[in-house]
Amino acid sequence: SDADVLLHYTQNQAQYSAPESRDVRHILISEKDGDDKVDYPQSKAEADRIYAELRGGADFAALAKAESDDPGSKDQGGKLTIRRGETVPPFDKAAFSLERGELSRPVKSTFGYHVIEALTAVRPATTQKLEEVEDSIRQQLLQERKNEEMTKWVEDLRERYAGKVTYAVGFEPPELPEAPTETE
């Protein structure tokens, strides 16, 4: 019903929303010490050097490919699309506070130091309107109800005919294993 669709939509609002986002590029400097942990002083010095090169006109994409320790973005020149709240807090805060085209000073995170450049303006958070998703919600709810009814029907048949069905010799179905419990 329309009421069921509206209830599902309001109870699952996050499923139909997207947070603020923007395109950035970054260079991660994560120098390691002897225990394979981030050496923050060494990483900071290297990040400061890269920041100075970028301020002096160096090519960001070329530096990212050569220097970044982020395997997920270095081959794309450090470029990535981020959504608010999906990156570590210091990176998130810096990336969303920059003006378009602005370069951040090195930002410390649990991964090392990041030099971030904002490529686009912040795209506002969006929420799909009920009218846009109403048909898909209705189909989803209908399929869930069909599944519930079919399961109930099969269980009713099993109960009703338990002990009443006989098989010719040699045609008995194999024993079904017990349904697993939640603790198994």
Side-chain angles (χ1 to χ4, degrees):
S1 69
D2 289 343
D4 293 332
V5 170
L6 179 60
L7 180 63
H8 177 86
Y9 178 77
T10 55
Q11 288 179 340
N12 297 281
Q13 196 69 62
Q15 185 177 339
Y16 305 105
S17 300
E20 290 179 305
S21 65
R22 84 177 322 171
D23 294 334
V24 298
R25 56 186 177 183
H26 83 119
I27 298 172
L28 169 64
I29 302 302
S30 185
E31 301 292 332
K32 304 293 184 185
D33 63 16
D35 295 328
D36 204 34
K37 293 182 180 170
V38 176
D39 182 336
Y40 285 102
Q42 188 177 352
S43 296
K44 173 75 163 99
E46 184 66 11
D48 285 339
R49 180 189 65 76
I50 289 171
Y51 175 74
E53 282 188 42
L54 292 169
R55 297 282 299 180
D59 181 278
F60 197 110
L63 267 177
K65 287 179 181 180
E67 305 282 348
S68 184
D69 292 316
D70 179 15
S73 70
K74 76 182 288 176
D75 291 338
Q76 290 78 39
K79 186 176 178 189
L80 47 106
T81 299
I82 59 170
R83 289 174 196 76
R84 188 177 291 278
E86 292 183 354
T87 58
V88 290
F91 186 100
D92 209 57
K93 182 179 179 186
F96 282 97
S97 66
L98 295 170
E99 294 295 322
R100 182 178 181 195
E102 186 179 1
L103 186 66
S104 76
R105 291 193 168 279
V107 175
K108 183 180 181 181
S109 80
T110 55
F111 298 105
Y113 279 88
H114 307 263
V115 178
I116 307 165
E117 181 183 27
L119 297 176
T120 63
V122 175
R123 290 182 289 277
T126 59
T127 300
Q128 290 178 295
K129 294 182 175 140
L130 176 60
E131 298 78 33
E132 297 171 335
V133 294
E134 185 174 12
D135 290 339
S136 66
I137 292 173
R138 191 175 308 280
Q139 288 300 318
Q140 177 186 344
L141 293 176
L142 181 60
Q143 189 61 47
E144 287 172 7
R145 295 260 167 85
K146 285 179 182 179
N147 291 345
E148 289 168 8
E149 289 300 316
M150 180 59 105
T151 300
K152 182 179 169 193
W153 179 75
V154 168
E155 288 172 1
D156 285 348
L157 281 178
R158 281 191 180 137
E159 286 177 23
R160 193 172 341 150
Y161 290 101
K164 296 179 182 178
V165 176
T166 58
Y167 295 94
V169 176
F171 289 97
E172 297 92 5
E175 288 293 319
L176 294 175
E178 290 292 321
T181 61
E182 289 184 30
T183 57
E184 289 182 16

